[in-house]
Amino acid sequence: MNKFLIVGLVAIFLVASVALALTLGNHSPVLLQASTAQSIFGGSWKVLTNDTYLKVYPTQTVSVYFANGTNVTTPLPHQVKTLDKEVLVGDVNGTTVVMRIQEITYTSNVTFFNFLRPLGHLMHHRFLFSNFNITNFNGYEVVYFSNNIFPRTYLLAIKGNTIVNVELNMTATQQQMLDVLSNLS
C-alpha cells in the first residue's frame, strides 16, 4: 500500500514538474527581438538582458526569471498573473534610444479603471505631447502619445486581461508603435 502511495505521489510530482517546465520553458522574457526593433526604427538595437525579465505571480510567491539566467522567488500574493519587462537600447542615426516595454497580465479581465492608472501620469502632462490618439488595433484599445520637442513616445494598450506599455525616448509615429505592439511575442 505504501509503495502505491509513493509511486502515485512521484507520478503527480513528475506530471506537475513537466507541466510547469513546459509552461515557463516556452515563454522567453524577450518580448521584442532586437532585429525587429531595427526593422521598425532603423539603426542597431540590443536587448539589455540584466533589465529584461518575466515575473510570474502564483498565489503565494513571485518568481522573477531574468534574461541573463538568474531566477529569484519571493512570497507575495497578488492579482497580477505575469509581468514582462524588456529594455532595448538602440543607436538610431547616432542617437542612443532606450525602449521600455511592459506587458502585465492580470488574473481576470482588466477594467477601464486599471487601464487609466498607468495613463494618469501621462494625462497630467498632456500639454507636453504634440501627438495624441486613441484607436483600436488587433483587438486592443490603444492610446498613443508623442512629442517632437522633447523626444518621447508612449503607447498604452489593453486587451482582455492584458495591459501593454511601451515607452521610447525618441519621437516615433503611431504606426511604428503599432508595429511594436503587433510584433510582441
Side-chain angles (χ1 to χ4, degrees):
M1 196 67 134
N2 287 338
K3 290 180 184 179
F4 291 117
L5 180 62
I6 292 171
V7 169
L9 290 174
V10 168
I12 290 171
F13 175 75
L14 288 175
V15 168
S17 298
V18 169
L20 181 62
L22 289 175
T23 300
L24 295 177
N26 291 335
H27 190 87
S28 168
V30 176
L31 295 167
L32 185 72
Q33 297 297 321
S35 58
T36 305
Q38 181 174 326
S39 69
I40 294 170
F41 299 108
S44 61
W45 290 80
K46 66 180 178 179
V47 174
L48 298 183
T49 58
N50 287 339
D51 295 328
T52 297
Y53 57 79
L54 161 67
K55 285 186 186 177
V56 178
Y57 292 87
T59 308
Q60 297 299 320
T61 61
V62 176
S63 299
V64 181
Y65 302 93
F66 284 88
N68 67 4
T70 306
N71 299 332
V72 179
T73 301
T74 58
L76 180 69
H78 211 278
Q79 292 179 344
V80 172
K81 186 176 179 181
T82 62
L83 184 146
D84 287 281
K85 178 186 172 203
E86 180 177 7
V87 179
L88 296 99
V89 174
D91 181 338
V92 179
N93 297 324
T95 302
T96 300
V97 179
V98 178
M99 181 169 28
R100 290 178 178 82
I101 304 170
Q102 289 184 327
E103 183 175 278
I104 305 167
T105 305
Y106 291 88
T107 55
S108 59
N109 281 350
V110 179
T111 63
F112 192 68
F113 176 74
N114 286 344
F115 181 56
L116 289 178
R117 253 188 278 169
L119 185 60
H121 78 281
L122 296 175
M123 291 301 285
H124 183 71
H125 301 290
R126 183 175 175 184
F127 67 93
L128 295 175
F129 297 97
S130 52
N131 299 305
F132 172 81
N133 192 24
I134 298 175
T135 189
N136 293 314
F137 178 76
N138 288 348
Y140 286 93
E141 295 290 327
V142 177
V143 179
Y144 161 81
F145 293 90
S146 73
N147 185 323
N148 297 331
I149 299 169
F150 305 104
R152 292 274 183 252
T153 305
Y154 298 93
L155 180 124
L156 294 167
I158 182 174
K159 180 180 183 180
N161 64 342
T162 302
I163 292 179
V164 175
N165 177 35
V166 181
E167 300 178 21
L168 188 62
N169 73 329
M170 70 177 259
T171 302
T173 67
Q174 180 175 347
Q175 186 57 54
Q176 287 173 313
M177 297 303 278
L178 293 175
D179 287 347
V180 168
L181 181 61
S182 68
N183 281 287
L184 296 180
S185 53

